[in-house]
Amino acid sequence: MGRSHALSGWCLGLAVAPLVGLTSVAEVVPFAAATAGYALVPDLDHPGASASRLLGPVTGLVSAMIRTFSGLLYNLTKGPRDEDSTGKHRHATHTLAAAILLGVLAASLGDRGKWAVLAIAATGLLLAAHVLGDWLIIAVLAAVGWSVLGTAVPGTSTADAVQAGLTGIGGWIGVAVSLGMFTHCLGDSLTRSGCPWLWPLPIRGETWYEIRLPRPLRFRTGGWVERILIAPLLLAGGVLLLPGAVQAVERLFDATSIWLAGR
């Protein structure tokens, strides 16, 4: 579900950015790109996931360490009715607790300055681009360029625009990380396997209780529902949520209506 996870993180990032005061294109697009990237991080607990293969042996080693930790945590905290499982995939990293913890860590690192924010945001961007394609990197660069061209301050350079964007999202980089990871958990809750994101809250004798939709509404990972329905809807939402996109569509619709009326 890598593509769906990244697209859902992208959409949520675009939707949340204005709510936290990020309004310029140079702020909104990098924020959403970071959210999209960190929506892939929970699957570091699977050796075949995009995040685990991003940097070859390096991320492969991180993945192995996470799986080992997740298995130990599962065995230490499982309830009397938890299933007999290795506790590696869809466990430790697929929790609200993990999303909050990594978000707090990212926020504390972001407080160290713009370079720390840049490193965190760039990591998210690379993760997302690995799944969605290089167009995402182009979109971020275009957002910065648009900010430079559209600025009202004479003499503003690309470096100034980047710095302004990083300053804007700096206080919210931890939110982007947490949102991305939690979006992943919500996405997995739509599937047949579910996701234990409420750990360690005990539910029906399970501390790793899989939250999921009613049986008729669940879909299989990688199945036709995800490929034909969910992914296209997320892609459309990811375009329409861009700053000014709805207004551009409305203007296009109005212009088309006028042209048709004049024929």
Side-chain angles (χ1 to χ4, degrees):
M1 288 184 64
R3 185 170 300 167
S4 296
H5 284 314
L7 284 173
S8 61
W10 170 258
C11 289
L12 187 62
L14 291 175
V16 170
L19 301 180
V20 298
L22 304 178
T23 55
S24 72
V25 177
E27 294 172 339
V28 172
V29 173
F31 180 85
T35 305
Y38 286 98
L40 298 168
V41 165
D43 273 348
L44 273 170
D45 63 3
H46 191 291
S50 298
S52 302
R53 295 182 284 108
L54 179 65
L55 298 178
V58 176
T59 46
L61 177 60
V62 173
S63 175
M65 294 171 62
I66 288 175
R67 293 199 306 275
T68 300
F69 170 77
S70 183
L72 291 173
L73 184 65
Y74 179 78
N75 287 322
L76 288 172
T77 62
K78 66 179 181 179
R81 297 190 61 185
D82 275 308
E83 60 189 17
D84 186 16
S85 168
T86 62
K88 294 182 178 180
H89 181 47
R90 284 198 182 181
H91 282 85
T93 57
H94 288 67
T95 62
L96 180 58
I100 294 173
L101 182 62
L102 193 61
V104 170
L105 176 61
S108 63
L109 291 175
D111 288 340
R112 295 179 180 271
K114 63 182 180 182
W115 294 113
V117 175
L118 177 61
I120 297 169
T123 299
L125 176 60
L126 289 175
L127 283 167
H130 183 62
V131 171
L132 297 179
D134 294 339
W135 67 265
L136 191 60
I137 297 177
I138 296 172
V140 172
L141 294 176
V144 173
W146 179 270
S147 178
V148 173
L149 292 174
T151 182
V153 181
T156 300
S157 65
T158 302
D160 293 332
V162 171
Q163 183 170 346
L166 292 175
T167 301
I169 69 172
W172 300 103
I173 193 65
V175 174
V177 172
S178 291
L179 276 178
M181 292 189 67
F182 186 55
T183 303
H184 183 112
C185 296
L186 292 179
D188 280 352
S189 288
L190 303 177
T191 67
R192 295 177 181 177
S193 299
C195 184
W197 51 268
L198 284 179
W199 175 90
L201 182 67
I203 302 174
R204 299 178 182 177
E206 300 180 36
T207 53
W208 297 91
Y209 183 84
E210 290 88 357
I211 308 297
R212 65 189 91 190
L213 290 173
R215 190 177 299 274
L217 299 178
R218 302 171 194 165
F219 64 87
R220 182 173 60 85
T221 300
W224 70 269
V225 174
E226 180 187 352
R227 290 183 287 105
I228 299 177
L229 182 62
I230 294 178
L233 286 175
L234 288 173
L235 184 59
V239 173
L240 292 175
L241 286 168
L242 284 167
V246 174
Q247 293 81 352
V249 171
E250 289 176 348
R251 288 194 296 269
L252 179 62
F253 179 78
D254 291 340
T256 304
S257 300
I258 294 173
W259 179 76
L260 290 175
R263 294 193 63 183

